[in-house]
Amino acid sequence: MTFHANTRLAEGNCRNMDTMGHRGFETGQAEPAAAEAPQEFDNAREPIGIVLEIAGSGSHIALDLQRLQECSGDHDPSVALAGQVGSQVKIRVGKGWLLASVRTQKQDSKTPGGIMAAIDFLGEGDEERLTGRIHSFRRGVTRYPIPGALIYPATSNDLRQIYASDGRSSIQVGTVFPTRDIRAGLYIDSMLGKHFALLGSTGTGKSTSAALILHRICEHAPEGHIVMIDPHGEYSAAFKQTGMIFDVSNLQMPYWLMNFEEHCEVFLTTTGNDRQEDADILSKCLLQARSKNRLAETMGKITVDSPIPYLLSDLTNLIQTEMGKLDKATSSAPFMRIKTKIDELKADPRFQFMFSGMLVGDTMAEFITKIFRMPSKGKPISIIDVSGVPSDITSTVVAVLSRMVFDFAIWSRDEKTRPVLLVCEEAHRYVPNEKNADGSSVGKILSRIAKEGRKYGVSLGLITQRPSDLAEGVLSQCGTIISMRLNNDRDQAFVKAAMPEGARGFLDSIPALRNRECIICGEGVSIPIRVAFDELEEFKRPASADPSISQLWSSGGGEEEMVLRTVQRWRAQGR
């Protein structure tokens, strides 16, 4: 098999690539036993194209169709895919190699059998003298090739060196595409230290992939502190053995942990000028109620935001007292509104997990150790199942938990740092973009964690199926983006805008990803990679599998009893 790539390449470039190829190998790669005739043709050692034009982050190249067809039958899957969109190629620069990813391809109308392609530079590595392999790979480009430089396929051995861990702590989550055995690792410190986002349309395996990543983190760091907000109750099944599961039956989150803004969200029902008037009344009475606690007496000055226990009955009595001081000209309606709302919450059994009279004791330290897993006792993750929380206060509950993670990190700065990872499923609900924003406290606190959390040891993990509905600033703060298949054009464009320049070629393949496949780029990996996630054991998977409708509709029985049981749970507002 010979390499016929003469004047077909490089628009009028009349240098014969065959000669260039042999010259390139004579100077850069030591051919073992040069005197012997090669027994087997080595596709990896023969060029497949030539550089035409260079720019800062990428380049335009010409590829030889015949060489690509020769490579396509190679036993090495990386060489077999050489030159295709999403594949890696390497370019000789001095004594090293420059690695690039193919972004686009089109037929060269001027040259029969020629293909024009755009590539993105990924990084560079040194060359082993004897074998010609890449080693000491690093991200970024310090030395660019010149037009006319030869392009070679990247082999699986090259990719193994490139994706090999550089000694930093990492977790393995899958296999690098297109290889069969190169493991894909995520650098824990870089991924968590600068936040991460897991994106993917419904049905792409997003929940199982999230569970896989969290299981790997828990195995790697059994003394970790992970808090996961689970809005659908999916993850309880996945972490029964390695985590603590909290729902409305055992969360026991005291109402007095809320700050003033969160109190307003729950207790005030008005808008506009009336809301400001109600907020002034609540602020005054809440401060007085907190001040009645013995803790407040020992602390001196406290604020309306101080997490000091108070009795709800004290608060309503103070509102009643303030109402009694009114002169006849002033309306008592604002006082009655607040008092009525508080009484409603106290009486409603759905809110007992938060507004029960039993939660008046000072249990703040116990609550923090329980939720933040301090100590973890071999169960480093707590799953907060908010599916049973009434929808009108769900965002407030998430806000309190998120703010407590952040405030705890701020007030424990003088202690040994205990990093906490906050993972938020369905993140677009809580940090919506400007169009859908409602000014809620949960959006503000999650945005603040995204911007400032890194300084205090708070990591944020966002999981969403609609990245275009996320606040733009929040996604851009995520240093590592793990993108599964996205079917929506707006979502694809949004993710491309948030990703680094070198990953753009990979991103074009987002709509073509299979289930359980993803593109990972950013701080958590050396270079952008396409990964097939590992299979997760059945007992570690979340309860998010799609029901088989054809199977379930083909048999019946027991429907009446099922309906009666469901109605009973429905009425009791419990599970």
Side-chain angles (χ1 to χ4, degrees):
M1 204 182 280
T2 55
F3 178 43
H4 307 290
N6 37 35
T7 50
R8 294 193 314 217
L9 288 169
E11 297 182 70
N13 191 330
C14 34
R15 283 174 294 182
N16 188 307
M17 233 167 145
D18 192 31
T19 27
M20 286 184 69
H22 288 299
R23 193 181 313 137
F25 285 120
E26 280 163 19
T27 53
Q29 279 175 266
E31 287 258 27
E36 292 178 25
Q39 295 298 307
E40 189 181 324
F41 183 79
D42 189 352
N43 277 309
R45 286 180 170 264
E46 293 295 330
I48 57 171
I50 194 165
V51 174
L52 298 178
E53 175 188 318
I54 294 290
S57 61
S59 165
H60 284 92
I61 62 173
L63 297 170
D64 186 313
L65 181 59
Q66 184 186 334
R67 280 292 293 125
L68 297 187
Q69 287 168 346
E70 289 170 1
C71 288
S72 65
D74 201 278
H75 62 86
D76 183 334
S78 304
V79 175
L81 283 177
Q84 295 186 21
V85 171
S87 68
Q88 280 83 44
V89 293
K90 59 186 184 182
I91 306 164
R92 176 176 298 292
V93 180
K95 293 181 180 178
W97 290 106
L98 184 62
L99 193 82
S101 161
V102 179
R103 186 198 291 201
T104 60
Q105 275 186 352
K106 68 176 180 179
Q107 192 169 5
D108 185 356
S109 56
K110 297 177 183 176
T111 314
I115 294 172
M116 309 287 285
I119 58 172
D120 295 314
F121 297 136
L122 298 173
E124 58 193 6
D126 301 326
E127 180 185 37
E128 281 183 12
R129 273 273 145 130
L130 292 173
T131 63
R133 288 183 185 174
I134 296 175
H135 69 93
S136 307
F137 181 82
R138 55 220 168 260
R139 191 192 287 185
V141 182
T142 55
R143 189 173 173 186
Y144 287 92
I146 56 171
L150 295 175
I151 290 156
Y152 298 86
T155 66
S156 288
N157 283 330
D158 291 332
L159 297 183
R160 191 171 281 109
Q161 287 293 322
I162 289 159
Y163 298 128
S165 173
D166 57 8
R168 291 182 282 169
S169 289
S170 62
I171 53 168
Q172 295 190 340
V173 292
T175 310
V176 176
F177 178 88
T179 66
R180 302 182 191 97
D181 57 352
I182 298 179
R183 303 293 290 150
L186 286 168
Y187 296 122
I188 291 249
D189 294 337
S190 299
M191 182 177 92
L192 300 187
K194 293 173 183 170
H195 314 313
F196 71 93
L198 173 59
L199 319 169
S201 295
T202 306
T204 54
K206 190 170 71 275
S207 301
T208 308
S209 303
L212 170 72
I213 291 168
L214 292 174
H215 274 301
R216 293 283 194 269
I217 293 172
C218 291
E219 288 160 16
H220 183 85
E223 293 299 315
H225 313 290
I226 306 170
V227 180
M228 180 172 205
I229 309 293
D230 177 13
H232 301 303
E234 293 177 311
Y235 292 89
S236 307
F239 292 95
K240 275 178 183 161
Q241 297 178 8
T242 51
M244 291 293 290
I245 316 299
F246 298 100
D247 56 20
V248 288
S249 66
N250 65 347
L251 183 58
Q252 301 293 294
M253 186 172 87
Y255 56 87
W256 46 264
L257 286 176
M258 294 190 292
N259 65 15
F260 178 61
E261 185 180 4
E262 291 148 3
H263 270 90
C264 289
E265 283 183 8
V266 178
F267 289 165
L268 306 187
T269 54
T270 50
T271 55
N273 292 336
D274 288 345
R275 189 177 184 84
Q276 187 55 53
E277 189 181 351
D278 293 3
D280 292 341
I281 295 165
L282 181 61
S283 171
K284 184 178 180 182
C285 297
L286 182 58
L287 184 58
Q288 289 177 26
R290 288 200 196 273
S291 302
K292 285 193 169 193
N293 192 300
R294 283 201 302 274
L295 280 172
E297 293 167 15
T298 58
M299 291 174 66
K301 191 176 181 184
I302 64 161
T303 71
V304 74
D305 287 329
S306 301
I308 290 173
Y310 69 89
L311 289 167
L312 284 171
S313 54
D314 278 349
L315 182 58
T316 50
N317 289 340
L318 285 162
I319 292 169
Q320 189 81 40
T321 307
E322 287 295 317
M323 190 166 64
K325 294 178 184 175
L326 295 175
D327 53 32
K328 286 183 182 177
T330 313
S331 168
S332 62
F335 297 89
M336 289 306 297
R337 275 197 299 263
I338 302 169
K339 187 173 180 297
T340 306
K341 183 65 179 176
I342 295 170
D343 290 338
E344 270 176 27
L345 292 170
K346 279 167 66 180
D348 192 330
R350 295 176 305 152
F351 296 91
Q352 286 301 290
F353 75 95
M354 192 171 178
F355 291 99
S356 165
M358 306 296 289
L359 297 174
V360 71
D362 182 13
T363 54
M364 187 172 177
E366 290 92 325
F367 183 77
I368 287 172
T369 54
K370 174 177 81 171
I371 299 296
F372 296 175
R373 312 304 307 135
M374 292 182 182
S376 66
K377 297 176 182 171
K379 293 190 171 185
I381 184 168
S382 58
I383 305 293
I384 316 291
D385 176 1
V386 295
S387 59
V389 174
S391 56
D392 42 351
I393 66 159
T394 304
S395 67
T396 308
V397 169
V398 176
V400 173
L401 292 165
S402 307
R403 183 181 51 77
M404 287 197 69
V405 170
F406 190 62
D407 284 355
F408 178 80
I410 288 175
W411 294 110
S412 63
R413 286 192 84 177
D414 294 341
E415 309 288 335
K416 179 185 169 188
T417 305
R418 306 271 179 195
V420 178
L421 168 60
L422 176 65
V423 183
C424 202
E425 172 70 272
E426 297 281 356
H428 58 274
R429 286 188 185 187
Y430 307 118
V431 248
N433 56 21
E434 285 180 24
K435 190 174 76 176
N436 302 317
D438 53 2
S440 62
S441 53
V442 67
K444 292 174 189 168
I445 185 60
L446 288 175
S447 295
R448 191 175 176 202
I449 290 174
K451 290 169 191 160
E452 303 172 30
R454 190 170 53 86
K455 303 171 193 169
Y456 303 104
V458 178
S459 302
L460 187 62
L462 300 176
I463 305 170
T464 180
Q465 60 199 14
R466 291 306 310 271
S468 59
D469 287 345
L470 261 183
E472 196 168 348
V474 172
L475 190 60
S476 62
Q477 294 288 336
C478 293
T480 306
I481 293 180
I482 305 165
S483 179
M484 305 185 77
R485 188 174 69 247
L486 289 166
N487 301 326
N488 186 286
D489 289 347
R490 273 180 59 229
D491 291 332
Q492 291 166 20
F494 198 79
V495 174
K496 279 186 187 179
M499 283 215 183
E501 182 72 28
R504 300 284 164 88
F506 280 84
L507 296 179
D508 291 335
S509 61
I510 282 180
L513 292 172
R514 295 175 293 187
N515 284 359
R516 287 186 31 245
E517 274 193 350
C518 70
I519 304 286
I520 307 177
C521 74
E523 302 292 336
V525 285
S526 302
I527 58 169
I529 49 175
R530 180 171 170 178
V531 174
F533 279 121
D534 290 337
E535 193 80 44
L536 194 58
E537 298 95 318
E538 194 71 45
F539 69 94
K540 290 184 176 180
R541 292 181 196 168
S544 59
D546 296 329
S548 171
I549 294 173
S550 58
Q551 193 178 342
L552 292 169
W553 280 3
S554 60
S555 60
E559 282 90 346
E560 288 102 333
E561 295 84 354
M562 184 272 288
V563 170
L564 287 171
R565 289 193 300 271
T566 303
V567 168
Q568 200 172 347
R569 284 195 296 272
W570 197 340
R571 284 176 174 157
Q573 294 287 297
R575 297 189 171 190

